[in-house]
Amino acid sequence: MKTQTYTLNLGPQHPSTHGVFQIVLELDGETVVKATPVPGYLHRGIEKLAEARTYAQVIPYTDRMDYMAGMLMNWGYVAAVEKLMGIEVPERAEYIRVIVGELSRIASHLIATGAYAGDIGGLTGFIYTFRDREDILDMLEMISGSRMTFSYFRIGGVAEDFPAEFFPAVKKFIEKFPSCCDEYDGLITGNEIFQVRTKKVGVITPEAAINYSLSGPVLRGSGINYDMRKARPYSVYDRFDFEVPLGCNGDCFDRYRIRILEMRQSLRIVEQALEQLPEGPIMAKVPKVLKPPAGDAYAEIESSKGLFGAYVVSDGSPKPYRVHFRRPSFINLGYLGKLCEGWKIADVIAILGSIDIVLGEVDC
Amino acid sequence: MFGKGLIKGLEITWGWLFRKKVTVEYPDKKIVMSPRYHGRFELDQDKCIACGLCANACPNKVIQLEKTKLGKKQILLKYVMRIEYCLFCGYCVEACNKDALKFSSVIDMNQYFRDKVRLTLVDRPAPTPEEIAAAEAEEAAKAAAAQAAAAKAKAKGEEG
């Protein structure tokens, strides 16, 4: 009997694609023969918009990339401008950055793990992670005034110091959160149906992970020990004691599991940073009108999705000549097409969810 | 044993059935926003000196203001925020030296029509010629009084 392959558009309006993202699937029955990701539906031209703004005015736009961890996006950009201008950030500001950054990372991983459980079919897990993410958003709202798009970082420091009500809230959170992680382990990780759906599915070999320049939990899921915070410590990360969780099989389950373990480690960092939090100014002495000298600078940070880099070119005017962002979601997505080949449609959803993309960041 | 994980999950969800609820029933009950919350903008007209720093700080040119001179002072005639373009980054509030522009904790700014979204914080008629004259006269009187006082003080100093 003569058969032929069949083309299916997954997305751009599909709940499992986590936003407006399309994958064109060529199917042989239910098996994927070829998968072509089509990003670009959420492109807003942030890099171009930045050229028409002053250096400080770009910060609110960086929030709109990975809106699950806006603080970390702020950080990458301000780090690049600070490098360009040679600004030394006060120690207290660095600690504040670490605390809000790690809280943001936890919030982002809560979405990743919860939404992944939802993708696999266990919507209960999603509700539980959202409950605890709310606590983090409340704390970040106390600090910055916003719940998702914070614009809290400034070139040379941060906008405001911690309010008094933040400390009891974060203390309560640190006490409570490990038991919440146990709950996720009980609800999602230990669930047999979840395990069957994710274990040995979408295996990324360590070689492929390096060749495709993957980063973040997707890379570490394949067992490669590379975390910017440990490998090339920036800010004050060399002063904290934490571990980098690694996977061994490189499958969907490992990528999911690493995020849960990373949340526990992030909590440890927050705890230590709060203990060590020094007194002092929160802003370096920065001129009112920022005019970096002509030249360029590239700074990288470890965001919740992987290596987030910002490249800023200055021509000496108050506006950046060119800004480019290295968005980890976009680069991690580059391997999706190859990764999906040979799996069933339902596995495509599991694989896509395990990469944890945020379309705001992919399309920028 | 297969199914152990499923039973553990059920244990967790059933456990929560008998604990305090973490959600609030929104329209009837509302959560109090933190003091720094970026809600709707408020402008204190008396404090504002119409310097335009807020409009300059804005990344999206949200703030449009018209001003006029009343005596030596500058006053606002119109202060309109095109909230549909606002990023709620708070740069305008940060830029305000006089503490005139502030955030409130009002969160419901939703409207059915786009043209209703625009937030007009000040909209008043231009001062009449009489008002301008009165303000100028007042300022002149004040200046004269200050001059007289200075002269008096000087005379006193010479005496002593």
Side-chain angles (χ1 to χ4, degrees):
Chain A
M1 196 172 67
K2 196 183 159 225
T3 57
Q4 61 181 42
T5 56
Y6 164 78
T7 309
L8 179 79
N9 286 315
L10 186 77
Q13 307 250 350
H14 191 281
S16 294
T17 56
H18 297 224
V20 276
F21 175 63
Q22 186 187 16
I23 315 173
V24 181
L25 297 171
E26 210 177 307
L27 301 168
D28 174 17
E30 248 191 272
T31 313
V32 178
V33 179
K34 199 179 160 212
T36 320
V38 188
Y41 287 95
L42 203 63
H43 178 69
R44 293 145 295 175
I46 289 177
E47 288 172 1
K48 187 72 191 166
L49 283 168
E51 290 170 19
R53 307 284 186 281
T54 64
Y55 281 91
Q57 283 174 347
V58 178
I59 296 169
Y61 286 90
T62 59
D63 279 327
R64 271 95 185 151
M65 280 191 284
D66 181 0
Y67 38 78
M68 296 304 171
M71 293 283 190
L72 294 166
M73 298 291 110
N74 282 184
W75 200 348
Y77 172 71
V78 296
V81 179
E82 279 156 9
K83 200 170 167 188
L84 185 62
M85 294 186 72
I87 296 169
E88 187 108 348
V89 182
E91 209 173 41
R92 187 177 172 86
E94 291 281 23
Y95 274 90
I96 292 177
R97 284 179 178 190
V98 168
I99 293 168
V100 295
E102 290 306 317
L103 284 175
S104 255
R105 190 188 313 276
I106 297 175
S108 170
H109 280 352
L110 283 174
I111 293 271
T113 49
Y116 192 48
D119 283 346
I120 300 297
L123 206 62
T124 318
F126 183 63
I127 307 295
Y128 278 72
T129 56
F130 247 64
R131 176 197 65 195
D132 303 317
R133 177 173 175 262
E134 234 17 57
D135 288 336
I136 296 179
L137 296 194
D138 282 343
M139 284 190 280
L140 296 178
E141 181 198 313
M142 282 174 201
I143 299 166
S144 69
S146 301
R147 293 177 72 81
M148 269 174 86
T149 48
F150 309 103
S151 312
Y152 176 63
F153 283 50
R154 294 289 179 272
I155 292 155
V158 289
E160 279 176 290
D161 209 335
F162 286 145
E165 69 260 33
F166 169 71
F167 295 100
V170 75
K171 213 176 155 198
K172 209 172 131 195
F173 180 76
I174 288 171
E175 270 168 30
K176 172 192 116 159
F177 193 65
S179 68
C180 297
C181 283
D182 294 340
E183 263 182 9
Y184 314 145
D185 277 340
L187 270 173
I188 312 168
T189 320
N191 189 304
E192 279 90 354
I193 301 170
F194 179 82
Q195 288 182 6
V196 170
R197 283 290 306 279
T198 53
K199 275 188 177 170
K200 295 187 183 121
V201 172
V203 178
I204 303 178
T205 58
E207 295 78 37
I210 292 172
N211 289 346
Y212 279 82
S213 130
L214 308 182
S215 55
V218 182
L219 175 73
R220 292 192 289 273
S222 300
I224 291 161
N225 189 351
Y226 191 80
D227 187 318
M228 265 284 286
R229 294 172 294 170
K230 272 271 194 243
R232 276 187 282 152
Y234 54 97
S235 188
V236 286
Y237 273 112
D238 48 346
R239 300 184 200 176
F240 306 118
D241 170 37
F242 66 100
E243 283 153 30
V244 180
L246 294 176
C248 43
N249 301 324
D251 54 7
C252 290
F253 183 77
D254 273 0
R255 291 194 280 278
Y256 154 82
R257 180 96 181 99
I258 274 180
R259 294 200 175 93
I260 299 266
L261 297 173
E262 261 184 28
M263 285 196 278
R264 293 181 193 262
Q265 296 301 326
S266 288
L267 196 73
R268 275 179 69 193
I269 298 175
V270 173
E271 208 176 346
Q272 291 169 43
L274 275 169
E275 264 170 33
Q276 297 173 19
L277 187 67
E279 292 296 321
I282 52 159
M283 270 296 278
K285 285 209 168 66
V286 190
K288 269 236 160 95
V289 179
L290 292 170
K291 273 191 184 174
D296 57 350
Y298 180 69
E300 268 181 336
I301 63 146
E302 180 80 30
S303 97
S304 57
K305 314 280 186 294
L307 289 184
F308 175 75
Y311 179 61
V312 182
V313 184
S314 164
D315 57 355
S317 71
K319 290 173 183 174
Y321 178 75
R322 176 82 169 90
V323 177
H324 176 72
F325 298 111
R326 181 212 193 266
R327 292 105 55 204
S329 290
F330 178 69
I331 290 162
N332 290 350
L333 203 58
Y335 191 47
L336 182 76
K338 266 239 154 60
L339 195 55
C340 288
E341 275 171 25
W343 295 98
K344 301 267 191 285
I345 299 181
D347 296 325
V348 171
I349 305 296
I351 291 167
L352 181 66
S354 76
I355 296 178
D356 182 28
I357 52 164
V358 168
L359 269 300
E361 195 187 61
V362 171
D363 296 339
C364 184
Chain B
M1 185 191 85
F2 189 79
K4 211 171 151 193
L6 297 173
I7 291 164
K8 177 105 195 283
L10 278 176
E11 237 172 66
I12 292 165
T13 47
W14 276 89
W16 273 95
L17 199 61
F18 303 105
R19 275 188 259 177
K20 214 182 133 217
K21 282 198 176 79
V22 290
T23 49
V24 289
E25 287 186 15
Y26 168 63
D28 304 325
K29 252 191 188 171
K30 280 178 187 170
I31 299 170
V32 184
M33 291 300 172
S34 52
R36 285 183 189 172
Y37 187 71
H38 290 185
R40 193 164 70 195
F41 293 95
E42 270 173 358
L43 182 70
D44 192 332
Q45 287 189 30
D46 303 327
K47 281 186 185 166
C48 179
I49 54 164
C51 59
L53 279 177
C54 46
N56 273 339
C58 182
N60 261 1
K61 300 194 177 75
V62 167
I63 300 168
Q64 294 174 327
L65 49 88
E66 283 172 30
K67 53 194 175 183
T68 188
K69 271 202 155 172
L70 185 64
K72 272 183 189 165
K73 244 169 76 182
Q74 277 197 327
I75 61 157
L76 277 178
L77 286 183
K78 221 172 189 184
Y79 194 94
V80 181
M81 294 183 105
R82 301 185 298 162
I83 292 294
E84 63 266 41
Y85 299 117
C86 184
L87 297 166
F88 288 89
C89 60
Y91 280 12
C92 49
V93 175
E94 209 176 286
C96 187
N97 287 330
K98 299 286 169 188
D99 214 14
L101 189 66
K102 268 188 240 162
F103 279 116
S104 68
S105 57
V106 179
I107 54 165
D108 32 6
M109 286 173 274
N110 306 341
Q111 301 288 344
Y112 276 104
F113 299 101
R114 192 178 165 85
D115 52 319
K116 297 242 165 64
V117 178
R118 213 150 276 210
L119 183 66
T120 309
L121 289 170
V122 179
D123 190 6
R124 57 183 172 196
T128 56
E130 288 89 54
E131 276 176 311
I132 294 174
E136 274 170 3
E138 199 185 314
E139 256 169 29
K142 249 189 197 166
Q147 221 171 13
K152 216 175 170 185
K154 206 180 171 191
K156 225 178 184 180
E158 273 169 16
E159 264 173 37

